Amino acid sequence: MNTEVIKQRLSTEERQKEIVRVAIHLAAEKGIDSVTTQDMADAMKVTQGAIFKHFPTKDDIWLAVIHWIRGRLMTVLEKAASEATGPIDAIERMFYAHVTFIGKHPSIPRLLFTEMLHKKNSKLRDLIQGIISGYEERIAGLLDAAKTQSLVSQDLDSKNAAVLYIGMIQGLFMQVSIFGGKRSLLEEAKKTFPIYLHGIKKRNEDA
């Protein structure tokens, strides 16, 4: 009896993961505003009722999607940071890891920053705000650590430098999206990040 319950629970979890994957794929293909639960059902070759069996509402699906994004992105970023030799190296590794992650999942920035999700559902908005705030705190903490090691300017505003860091990634993605295949996200990132580093690093006059 217990075995049957466990199998059923795992089956449900796998189905939910499949719905999340399909929602992310369709968001990249059609745009978030255009994706319907019927689209998800058609892509999975199931009925719309089968979708609602696992998620009561469409908003619940997007909430699960954002949870998936948070888990995957934070895992990627922490792995990058764990391989660093210091706070500046960690910031750089996290930057390129994030850019690479977006390259593999181009719908993610749209999901995190789409106005539709923010306005429709306070739970979604709060979750996305939490992801961004936590990310900013992580980068600001690394910048503070870099200050103690005299790697960056002592008058650097770590909090706003962290905001700029995240905004830079979003801005790069928007530019590449506008220009289509004419620009590479990773190549543009390689040109941009050194400018950011130049702006925050310690100057000779700070010595």
Side-chain angles (χ1 to χ4, degrees), residues 121-192:
N121 190 305
S122 61
K123 287 184 180 179
L124 282 167
R125 183 178 63 249
D126 291 346
L127 179 56
I128 293 169
Q129 285 178 354
I131 294 171
I132 296 171
S133 296
Y135 195 175
E136 288 174 353
E137 288 173 9
R138 183 76 170 92
I139 298 301
L142 287 168
L143 289 169
D144 284 337
K147 272 188 190 181
T148 66
Q149 297 177 34
S150 298
L151 298 174
V152 298
S153 176
Q154 291 302 307
D155 62 359
L156 178 71
D157 184 331
S158 297
K159 182 178 179 181
N160 282 315
V163 172
L164 176 60
Y165 173 97
I166 295 172
M168 185 167 54
I169 296 172
Q170 179 65 6
L172 284 169
F173 173 77
M174 289 179 65
Q175 275 202 3
V176 170
S177 296
I178 290 168
F179 283 91
K182 295 180 181 178
R183 295 185 181 182
S184 159
L185 181 59
L186 184 57
E187 290 306 311
E188 292 302 313
K190 288 178 180 178
K191 296 173 188 174
T192 304

Side-chain angles (χ1 to χ4, degrees), residues 50-207:
I51 299 290
F52 288 120
K53 178 182 176 182
H54 297 285
F55 291 103
T57 69
K58 185 179 174 183
D59 280 353
D60 288 320
I61 297 173
W62 292 126
L63 194 62
V65 166
I66 301 301
H67 276 292
W68 181 91
I69 291 171
R70 180 178 65 180
R72 286 298 182 91
L73 179 58
M74 291 304 114
T75 297
V76 166
L77 295 177
E78 289 307 318
K79 182 179 184 299
S82 71
E83 296 168 350
T85 56
I88 294 296
D89 187 38
I91 289 170
E92 184 167 358
R93 286 174 181 269
M94 289 170 72
F95 180 84
Y96 289 116
H98 192 164
V99 166
T100 301
F101 182 71
I102 291 173
K104 292 178 181 177
H105 305 284
S107 62
I108 284 177
R110 298 189 186 100
L111 285 162
L112 290 177
F113 294 96
T114 179
E115 192 175 8
M116 182 199 78
L117 293 185
H118 298 174
K119 285 188 173 180
K120 277 185 62 180
N121 190 305
S122 61
K123 287 184 180 179
L124 282 167
R125 183 178 63 249
D126 291 346
L127 179 56
I128 293 169
Q129 285 178 354
I131 294 171
I132 296 171
S133 296
Y135 195 175
E136 288 174 353
E137 288 173 9
R138 183 76 170 92
I139 298 301
L142 287 168
L143 289 169
D144 284 337
K147 272 188 190 181
T148 66
Q149 297 177 34
S150 298
L151 298 174
V152 298
S153 176
Q154 291 302 307
D155 62 359
L156 178 71
D157 184 331
S158 297
K159 182 178 179 181
N160 282 315
V163 172
L164 176 60
Y165 173 97
I166 295 172
M168 185 167 54
I169 296 172
Q170 179 65 6
L172 284 169
F173 173 77
M174 289 179 65
Q175 275 202 3
V176 170
S177 296
I178 290 168
F179 283 91
K182 295 180 181 178
R183 295 185 181 182
S184 159
L185 181 59
L186 184 57
E187 290 306 311
E188 292 302 313
K190 288 178 180 178
K191 296 173 188 174
T192 304
F193 192 73
I195 300 172
Y196 178 79
L197 278 185
H198 179 76
I200 67 173
K201 278 191 172 178
K202 182 179 178 179
R203 304 285 187 273
N204 290 334
E205 57 268 26
D206 293 330

Side-chain angles (χ1 to χ4, degrees), residues 3-21 44 49-56 64:
T3 303
E4 290 178 1
V5 171
I6 291 170
K7 284 182 178 179
Q8 179 60 37
R9 184 174 71 247
L10 290 176
S11 175
T12 297
E13 289 171 358
E14 287 304 312
R15 180 63 77 180
Q16 288 174 335
K17 288 177 183 177
E18 185 182 3
I19 294 169
V20 165
R21 286 194 295 268
M44 294 172 63
I51 299 290
F52 288 120
K53 178 182 176 182
H54 297 285
F55 291 103

